[in-house]
């Protein structure tokens, strides 16, 4: 559904609520899934209307969508079960146990048994864990508090808990505006038209002409509120006496062009896009290429995309909006701003650019002055990946770049990162460097970045990089010191467009789209702003930023409002909102106090706030108010011009520090999301009475597990594009270098031979337990921080490398001895070996991509363990035949390939406990399985059979 269709649903919801169609309101909320009405949900929970509670929830999530959803449904059904027991309604309790709670037994059979045993008690409060259970009303209130926190933390409810800010009766206003516009287009508009239907367009009958039959359709009175506005004529922005003047004024609108400088090649072009009817004899003239008098020799070609763009950038005639009493406003406060210092992290070099992952909101990409890029998991305070600057193939670089590089080496000047940014889907990221190059990486979701492209993009520095989707194709847009803007194919690295027209270094770019129109704003260091379509017709806009400042442009999150922030040569800073239709400044925000030596950084969030770093402070504005809203010094330590970056939800704000690091500021929701990543979360293995019901009242969200881990029941399948090779002999300064997954020149299929014993390092894993069990399978964790070993007795052990001065990254190394790790419970991960001859068993083990789960077998059932708690999540596939090899699907932890002793391969879905398919073709037991990370294929191997 398009964004406009989504907004229409909100308008209908507002209308239904104003008209008191309560049941219809909540039914549409559920069926659309756009807005979760927490107040309605609370009412139904407090009333104990459990069927309606689950019915309403079903419009937004299902039991097995993710861990949060599972926990939500479990708490509701558990409460319903306890209330039935409290009423001594054993029959109803059994019905709930079998019909509602049975589904959770698949994931935690022990807990289900404990719940079942409550049926044998006269009063379930005899159970020690339920001894503090109070009355029904209190229990519901406590459970509701926990449910609200789980809903807020559930990613499926993001952007669905707040109703957009709308003026009252907004749908009525739009209808009224439409009627005004229809009346304006009438050939003979009457002063006080009698509009009686909305089913057909309004037209006024000619004077003294035949009267139209009386309509029998819906009268306007059924839609309009007489107290709010009167007849159309009273509010028409074009009274009959002024209709001709209005048409003339509307025809004079020239949008961005009218406000452009005289050097624009298309200043008056927008006149042709006016929606006021143009005399037929003018149409042919306006459609032809012409040379404006102010720019001799420059021709403006009016192509369809240009006209469409101009229509989108031109305001509609000024129709006066009708306001209604008691508008429904979205409540907000200063507490919504992330101002609390949650983290302070040290990067090691001055941070030059930051960007949050678009969906994993605690994942931060950081670029540094030493050319390094780092991927941080903020909740874990952990560097997941660090990539130092490295040129893959110097011979493929231009001679200009090679000479620049040699000069920099002589002066010991590093190449720094100018920009890091994620692609809109979070599957890729781009890096722009201070000299010539851009790097393009794939992010497969694990703790790794795979370099796909290295492009010698610009002569001099690459000042900005962004992603766009012209023709539904992911492209990389760059700008640089060579005064050019370029567009690159993200798969092949081929240059698609090169836009020339700036007369100074291009400082920033802002690709955007209006409906199906794709365009790019660009700003130069001399304050010139231009706009480009994806063609070779030159810039469509040429005008000056306020103060001729070096400027960055950004749209609000919903793409409806355009802002810019920049600093002039004399150090004066400007933060403004543009009237995008007219190319004029709509409002200028005040609050900058001192002249700056550099360019002020800013960002937008929540379609409501602006933030900028200046005077060693972070300053905040309400988008609708020019005055400074508030500011923070973030406990000090900020540089004079700190860089700022919000995450997509606006609950975290990254801010650079003066000591080569950055701070994370958070609001209450942001703090909760960071805590959620810190702690593990087992959705069902809690006491029968939740922690929220206990006297301590501790929040259950403290136990919500790592957000960064892909929840196995809702892992998105990310497409991975196949890359085409590029002939290295045909490369030039504009041609990219398509790289293999490995950074170095050694190809994956060309194994490096180790002939020098000095290349080897040895470290012994400490283990003072059972020495009779030998290690039969050994795995590194995907995050490279530990080793997992499966013993011949079916017991798995985990060793982790500590992070300390000798090993600051905490990664696997032979220089530091790893530590044997167990959860506080002391549990061991032990396979089912009942009736198994261990000497003949074929052990097998596999680790999920995010290191959250391990699956293994030692001749018996396959067991799935939680790597944080070591608890058994489930067991399956009882022998015979026994399992001999296991593999997780790389994009979906629900899907598992199981090689069997009888030579078959089972594709098993853990979530539904079902074998989806059985593959045959081998003759002996399976010895290996591997899923492709980019192709939808599975490769297998088996014991060799001699013929």
């Amino acid at each position: 559904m398009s964004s406009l269709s989504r907004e229409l649903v909100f308008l209908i919801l507002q209308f239904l609520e104003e008209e008191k169609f309560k049941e219809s309101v909540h039914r549409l909320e559920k069926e659309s899934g756009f807005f979760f009405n927490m107040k309605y949900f609370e009412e139904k929970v407090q009333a104990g209307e459990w069927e309606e509670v689950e019915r309403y929830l079903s419009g937004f999530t299902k039991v097995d969508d993710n861990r949060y959803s599972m926990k939500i449904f479990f708490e509701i059904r558990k409460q319903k079960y306890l209330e039935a027991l409290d009423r001594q309604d054993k029959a109803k309790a059994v019905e709930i146990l079998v019909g509602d709670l049975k589904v959770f037994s698949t994931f935690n059979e022990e807990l289900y048994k404990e719940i079942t045993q409550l049926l044998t008690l006269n009063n379930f409060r005899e159970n020690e864990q339920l001894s503090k259970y109070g009355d029904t009303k209190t229990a519901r209130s406590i459970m509701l508090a926990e449910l609200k926190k789980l809903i807020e933390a559930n990613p499926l409810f993001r952007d669905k808990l707040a109703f957009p800010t709308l003026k009252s009766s907004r749908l009525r206003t739009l209808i009224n505006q439409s009627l005004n516009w229809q009346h304006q287009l009438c050939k003979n508009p009457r002063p006080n038209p009698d509009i009686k239907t909305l089913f057909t367009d309004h037209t006024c009958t000619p004077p003294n002409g035949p009267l139209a039959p009386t309509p029998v359709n819906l009268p306007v009175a059924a839609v309009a509120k007489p107290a709010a506005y009167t007849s159309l004529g009273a509010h028409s922005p074009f009274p009959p006496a002024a209709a001709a003047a209005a048409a003339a004024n509307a025809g004079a609108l020239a949008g961005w062009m009218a406000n452009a400088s005289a050097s624009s090649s298309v200043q008056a072009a927008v006149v042709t896009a006016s929606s006021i009817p143009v005399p037929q004899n003018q149409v042919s003239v306006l459609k032809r290429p012409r040379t404006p008098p102010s720019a001799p020799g420059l021709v403006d070609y009016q192509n369809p995309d240009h006209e469409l763009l101009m229509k989108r950038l031109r305001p509609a005639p000024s129709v006066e909006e009708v306001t209604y009493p008691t508008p429904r406003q979205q409540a907000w406060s200063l507490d919504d701003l992330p101002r609390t210092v949650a983290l302070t992290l040290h990067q090691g070099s001055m941070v030059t650019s930051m960007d949050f992952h678009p969906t994993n909101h605690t994942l931060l990409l950081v670029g540094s002055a030493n050319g390094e890029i780092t991927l941080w998991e903020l909740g874990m305070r952990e560097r997941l990946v660090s990539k130092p600057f490295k040129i893959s193939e110097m011979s493929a670089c231009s001679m200009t770049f090679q000479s620049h590089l040699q000069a920099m080496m002589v002066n010991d000047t590093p190449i720094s990162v100018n920009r890091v940014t994620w692609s809109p889907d979070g599957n890729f990221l781009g890096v722009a460097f201070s000299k010539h190059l851009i790097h393009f990486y794939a992010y497969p979701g694990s703790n790794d970045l795979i370099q796909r492209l290295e492009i010698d993009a610009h002569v001099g520095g690459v000042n900005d990089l962004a992603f766009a989707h012209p023709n539904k194709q992911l492209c990389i847009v760059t700008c640089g010191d060579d005064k050019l803007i370029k567009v690159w194919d993200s798969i092949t690295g081929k240059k698609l467009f090169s836009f020339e027209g700036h007369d100074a270094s291009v400082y920033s770019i802002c690709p955007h789209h209006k409906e199906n129109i794709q365009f790019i704003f660009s700003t130069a260091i001399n304050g010139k702003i231009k706009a480009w379509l994806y063609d070779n017709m030159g810039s469509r806009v040429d005008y000056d930023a306020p103060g001729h400042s070096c400027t960055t442009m950004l749209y609000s999150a919903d793409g409806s409002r355009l802002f810019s922030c920049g600093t002039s040569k004399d150090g004066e800073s400007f933060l403004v909102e543009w009237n995008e239709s007219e190319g004029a400044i709509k409002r200028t925000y005040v609050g900058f106090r001192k002249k700056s030596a550099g360019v002020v950084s800013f960002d937008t969030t929540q379609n409501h706030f602006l933030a900028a770093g200046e005077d060693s402070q972070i300053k905040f504005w309400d988008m609708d108010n020019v005055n400074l809203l508030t500011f923070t010094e973030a406990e000090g330590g900020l540089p004079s011009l700190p860089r700022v970056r919000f995450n997509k939800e606006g609950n975290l704000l990254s801010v650079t520090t003066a000591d080569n690091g950055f701070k994370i500021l958070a609001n209450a929701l942001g703090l909760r999301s960071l805590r959620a990543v810190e702690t593990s979360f087992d959705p069902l293995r809690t006491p029968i009475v939740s922690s929220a019901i206990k006297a301590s009242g501790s929040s259950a969200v403290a136990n919500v597990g790592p957000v960064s881990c892909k929840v196995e029941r809702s892992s998105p399948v990310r497409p991975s594009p196949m890359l085409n090779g590029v002939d290295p002999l045909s490369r030039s300064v504009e041609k990219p270098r398509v790289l293999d997954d490995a950074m170095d020149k050694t190809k994956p299929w060309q194994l490096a031979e180790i002939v020098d014993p000095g290349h080897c390092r040895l470290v012994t894993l400490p283990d003072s337990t059972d020495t009779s069990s030998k290690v039969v399978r050994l795995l590194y964790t995907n995050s490279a921080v530990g080793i997992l070993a499966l013993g011949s007795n079916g017991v798995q052990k985990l060793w982790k490398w500590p992070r300390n001065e000798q090993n600051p990254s905490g990664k696997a190394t032979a220089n530091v001895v790893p530590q044997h790790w167990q959860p506080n419970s002391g549990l061991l991960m032990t396979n089912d070996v009942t009736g198994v001859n261990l000497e003949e068993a074929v052990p097998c083990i596999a680790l999920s991509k995010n290191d959250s789960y391990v699956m293994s077998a030692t001749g018996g059932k396959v067991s799935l363990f939680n790597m944080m708690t070591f608890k058994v999540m489930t067991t399956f596939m009882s022998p015979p035949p026994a399992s001999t090899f296991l593999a997780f699907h790389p994009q979906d932890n629900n899907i598992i390939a199981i090689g069997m002793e009888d030579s078959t391969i089972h594709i098993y879905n853990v979530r539904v406990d079902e074998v989806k398919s059985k593959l045959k073709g081998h003759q002996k037991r399976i010895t290996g399985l591997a899923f492709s990370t980019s192709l939808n294929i599975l490769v297998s191997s088996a014991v060799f059979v001699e013929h």
Side-chain angles (χ1 to χ4, degrees):
M1 181 177 289
S2 69
S3 60
L4 289 180
S5 298
R6 189 173 189 270
E7 291 179 3
L8 178 60
V9 172
F10 281 111
L11 295 179
I12 295 171
L13 284 172
Q14 183 195 44
F15 172 79
L16 292 174
E17 182 172 298
E18 290 172 342
E19 297 300 317
K20 309 301 181 186
F21 295 115
K22 295 296 184 182
E23 291 185 8
S24 300
V25 168
H26 303 311
R27 182 168 182 175
L28 181 55
E29 288 168 350
K30 180 183 80 72
E31 290 183 353
S32 68
F34 291 158
F35 174 61
F36 185 83
N37 193 324
M38 187 68 81
K39 182 179 179 181
Y40 175 71
F41 180 73
E42 291 176 10
E43 291 174 356
K44 296 304 174 183
V45 170
Q46 291 285 18
E49 298 180 24
W50 305 118
E51 289 187 6
E52 176 58 21
V53 167
E54 290 209 21
R55 188 182 300 114
Y56 189 70
L57 272 174
S58 68
F60 304 88
T61 185
K62 301 294 186 294
V63 175
D64 56 357
D65 277 344
N66 60 39
R67 299 178 176 188
Y68 302 97
S69 299
M70 190 183 299
K71 178 74 171 174
I72 290 167
F73 281 97
F74 176 72
E75 291 299 326
I76 292 170
R77 295 176 183 183
K78 182 185 69 178
Q79 180 63 27
K80 181 167 62 168
Y81 176 67
L82 294 178
E83 290 184 13
L85 291 177
D86 208 21
R87 298 192 305 266
Q88 298 298 315
D89 189 348
K90 294 293 180 71
K92 183 64 175 178
V94 170
E95 178 185 332
I96 296 168
L97 183 70
V98 175
D100 295 336
L101 290 169
K102 179 67 175 177
V103 64
F104 302 105
S105 64
T106 305
F107 308 98
N108 198 319
E109 189 173 354
E110 180 184 350
L111 178 61
Y112 184 72
K113 290 178 180 178
E114 293 180 21
I115 294 176
T116 304
Q117 290 172 1
L118 296 180
L119 288 168
T120 63
L121 303 177
N122 292 327
N123 186 339
F124 63 79
R125 293 174 181 82
E126 297 173 15
N127 183 292
E128 181 181 355
Q129 297 179 14
L130 292 170
S131 60
K132 295 181 180 179
Y133 183 95
D135 61 276
T136 298
K137 183 178 180 180
T138 303
R140 286 178 183 173
S141 298
I142 295 173
M143 179 196 66
L144 182 59
E146 181 178 359
L147 291 179
K148 290 172 67 175
K149 293 172 183 175
L150 288 168
I151 289 170
E152 290 170 356
N154 194 329
L156 294 178
F157 288 83
R158 286 177 185 148
D159 304 324
K160 297 180 180 180
L161 299 179
F163 200 88
T165 303
L166 301 175
K167 290 185 177 180
S168 181
S169 303
R170 178 62 181 161
L171 186 59
R172 297 176 186 278
T173 302
L174 293 175
I175 293 173
N176 188 46
Q177 292 173 343
S178 173
L179 295 174
N180 273 286
W181 180 249
Q182 292 173 31
H183 183 61
Q184 176 205 344
L185 296 180
C186 290
K187 293 182 178 179
N188 299 286
R190 291 185 173 184
N192 295 292
D194 183 18
I195 301 176
K196 296 183 178 180
T197 183
L198 297 178
F199 289 172
T200 58
D201 288 346
H202 162 69
T203 55
C204 291
T205 55
N208 303 320
L211 296 177
T214 303
V216 295
N217 295 327
L218 179 68
V220 171
V223 177
K225 292 184 177 179
Y229 58 88
T230 57
S231 65
L232 181 66
H235 291 278
S236 173
F238 302 105
N249 290 338
L253 290 175
W256 289 91
M257 307 308 174
N259 294 278
S261 66
S263 63
S264 174
S265 63
V266 287
Q267 284 186 7
V270 186
V271 177
T272 67
S274 172
S275 57
I276 301 301
V278 179
Q280 189 62 37
N281 62 340
Q282 294 183 22
V283 172
S284 59
V285 175
L286 294 175
K287 291 286 183 180
R288 292 197 299 267
R290 54 175 173 63
T291 304
S294 60
L298 295 179
V299 178
D300 170 32
Y301 292 90
Q302 298 286 321
N303 64 26
D305 281 346
H306 170 81
E307 293 186 10
L308 194 55
L309 174 64
M310 292 304 106
K311 289 179 181 179
R312 292 295 302 166
L313 297 181
R314 185 197 67 252
S318 174
V319 179
E320 179 183 345
E321 274 196 14
V322 180
T323 58
Y324 297 89
T326 63
R328 175 178 180 172
Q329 297 290 341
Q330 177 180 345
W332 67 270
S333 70
L334 289 178
D335 292 336
D336 295 332
L337 291 171
R339 294 181 297 160
T340 302
V341 178
L343 303 172
T344 300
L345 297 171
H346 187 67
Q347 177 69 18
S349 178
M350 184 178 70
V351 175
T352 56
S353 181
M354 303 172 290
D355 196 27
F356 280 93
H357 192 275
T359 58
N360 189 339
H361 302 297
T362 60
L363 202 62
L364 180 66
L365 181 63
V366 176
S368 306
N370 62 358
E372 182 181 43
I373 62 169
T374 304
L375 192 58
W376 288 86
E377 173 48 70
L378 300 178
M380 304 297 291
R381 281 81 165 167
E382 180 180 0
R383 296 177 192 246
L384 300 181
V385 185
S386 287
K387 295 282 188 182
F389 174 74
K390 181 180 180 180
I391 301 174
S392 300
E393 293 187 41
M394 178 63 75
S395 60
C397 295
S398 65
M399 294 305 297
T400 304
F401 177 48
Q402 293 185 41
S403 62
H404 284 176
L405 190 63
Q406 290 174 0
M408 295 177 70
M409 293 175 64
V410 171
N411 298 324
D412 196 24
T413 304
I415 290 182
S416 63
V417 172
N418 278 346
R419 183 82 157 103
V420 292
T421 188
W422 291 98
S423 64
D425 59 7
N427 289 338
F428 304 96
L429 62 94
V431 187
F433 293 98
S434 59
K435 291 296 179 183
H436 288 249
L437 295 182
I438 65 170
H439 285 171
F440 178 66
Y441 291 88
Y443 175 59
S446 60
N447 301 341
D448 192 18
L449 297 176
I450 302 171
Q451 189 172 348
R452 297 298 194 193
L453 296 172
E454 181 180 83
I455 303 176
D456 192 342
H458 293 270
V459 177
V462 184
N463 296 324
D464 201 3
L465 181 148
F467 290 98
H469 281 89
N471 302 320
K472 299 182 180 180
Q473 172 188 2
L474 180 64
C475 293
I476 308 166
V477 186
T478 62
C479 65
D481 288 342
D482 54 6
K483 308 175 187 178
L484 300 177
I485 300 101
K486 299 182 182 181
V487 182
W488 311 87
D489 187 300
S490 65
I491 297 179
T492 65
K494 178 183 177 181
K495 185 178 67 174
L496 303 177
F497 297 99
S498 181
F499 301 132
E500 182 177 355
H502 280 289
D503 52 7
S505 297
V506 185
Y507 179 72
S508 74
I509 45 179
C510 179
H512 194 58
H513 65 91
K514 292 286 187 179
E515 295 179 351
N516 62 335
I517 311 166
Q518 301 274 348
F519 55 93
I520 305 169
F521 279 116
S522 62
T523 68
I525 61 174
N526 61 357
K528 289 293 184 181
I529 300 177
K530 294 179 182 289
W532 317 79
L533 290 172
Y534 291 88
D535 56 25
N536 296 311
M537 300 299 182
S539 68
R540 286 350 195 242
V541 159
D542 183 3
Y543 63 99
D544 295 321
H548 295 273
S549 56
C550 190
T551 296
T552 301
M553 305 184 81
L554 289 176
Y555 276 90
S556 57
D558 61 6
S560 64
R561 302 174 70 172
L562 177 62
F563 302 89
S564 74
C565 183
T567 305
S568 64
K569 290 182 178 180
D570 61 3
E572 187 176 0
S573 296
F574 301 87
L575 176 60
V576 303
E577 180 179 6
W578 292 89
N579 183 327
E580 188 183 2
S581 306
E582 300 178 359
I585 294 173
K586 184 175 182 179
R587 55 171 60 91
T588 300
Y589 300 90
V590 297
F592 294 115
R593 292 193 299 181
K594 60 183 294 185
K595 292 186 180 295
S596 303
V599 181
V600 169
S601 165
F602 90 114
D603 202 2
T604 73
T605 187
Q606 299 179 31
N607 299 314
H608 203 107
F609 298 111
L610 301 166
E614 189 245 5
D615 195 19
S616 299
Q617 297 174 339
I618 308 302
K619 300 182 176 181
F620 298 94
W621 289 265
D622 181 341
M623 287 182 178
D624 298 321
N625 192 326
V626 298
N627 296 313
L628 184 66
L629 180 62
T630 187
F631 68 91
T632 180
E633 294 182 350
E635 300 179 0
L638 303 185
S640 59
L641 294 174
R643 297 181 181 274
V644 296
R645 190 67 172 171
F646 285 103
N647 70 349
K648 186 175 181 180
E649 291 188 328
N651 54 32
L652 298 177
L653 174 64
S654 59
V655 179
T656 56
T657 60
D659 59 351
N660 297 337
F662 59 93
K663 294 184 178 185
I664 300 299
L665 310 187
N667 61 16
L669 287 176
L671 291 171
R672 189 176 300 135
S673 67
L674 292 173
R675 287 196 299 266
V677 179
E678 286 182 291
T679 56
S680 62
F681 173 54
D682 187 346
L684 301 182
R685 182 60 267 175
T686 57
I688 298 176
V689 57
S690 71
S691 58
I693 297 180
K694 294 182 180 180
S696 64
S698 60
S699 170
V701 175
N703 294 326
V704 174
V707 175
S708 62
C709 296
K710 302 294 183 297
V711 179
E712 72 278 16
R713 308 193 192 284
S714 62
S715 299
V717 178
R718 293 175 170 177
S720 299
M722 289 299 296
L723 302 181
N724 296 321
V726 174
D727 182 4
L729 298 178
S730 61
R731 293 176 181 141
S732 66
V733 63
E734 299 289 2
K735 301 200 73 174
R737 294 183 294 284
V738 179
L739 304 177
D740 297 309
D741 291 353
M743 286 284 291
D744 56 16
K745 296 181 181 179
T746 304
K747 305 298 182 185
W749 58 89
Q750 295 175 343
L751 299 179
E753 185 178 359
I754 299 176
V755 295
D756 184 355
H759 291 166
C760 300
R761 297 289 185 270
L762 173 68
V763 64
T764 303
L765 305 182
D767 186 10
S768 58
T769 56
D770 184 12
T771 57
S772 63
S773 175
K774 62 181 181 180
V775 175
V776 291
R777 295 290 184 270
L778 202 61
L779 288 177
Y780 276 107
T781 60
N782 293 302
S783 57
V785 298
I787 282 185
L788 186 65
L790 173 59
S792 58
N793 60 355
V795 176
Q796 288 137 110
K797 295 179 182 179
L798 177 64
W799 288 266
K800 290 185 177 181
W801 271 267
R803 177 177 289 143
N804 50 36
E805 293 182 359
Q806 291 76 29
N807 185 25
S809 68
K811 302 293 185 180
T813 174
N815 298 324
V816 177
V817 177
Q819 298 173 355
H820 184 220
W821 189 89
Q822 273 185 281
N824 294 332
S825 63
L827 285 177
L828 293 174
M829 291 187 287
T830 306
N831 285 331
D832 170 41
V833 293
T834 306
V836 174
N837 183 342
L838 294 177
E839 293 183 357
E840 297 180 357
V842 179
C844 49
I845 186 171
L847 193 58
S848 67
K849 193 171 185 178
N850 53 26
D851 293 335
S852 293
Y853 301 95
V854 62
M855 168 178 58
S856 63
T858 311
K861 292 181 180 179
V862 178
S863 299
L864 183 67
F865 297 93
N866 184 312
M867 279 283 282
M868 296 296 294
T869 63
F870 283 14
K871 294 176 181 177
V872 179
M873 303 297 291
T874 186
T875 58
F876 48 90
M877 302 299 289
S878 300
S883 305
T884 58
F885 204 92
L886 305 169
F888 279 99
H889 191 283
Q891 274 86 35
D892 189 350
N893 290 338
N894 297 309
I895 307 301
I896 296 169
I898 306 173
M900 309 300 287
E901 194 173 31
D902 65 354
S903 78
T904 61
I905 301 169
H906 293 191
I907 305 301
Y908 177 76
N909 189 313
V910 177
R911 181 171 60 185
V912 297
D913 190 19
E914 180 181 335
V915 175
K916 290 297 185 180
S917 59
K918 184 183 292 187
L919 311 179
K920 298 181 179 180
H922 291 292
Q923 299 180 32
K924 293 288 186 178
R925 68 175 172 85
I926 304 300
T927 59
L929 294 169
F931 283 101
S932 168
T933 58
S934 57
L935 298 175
N936 192 28
I937 61 174
L938 173 69
V939 180
S940 63
S941 63
V943 171
F944 178 69
V945 179
E946 294 186 7
H947 295 283

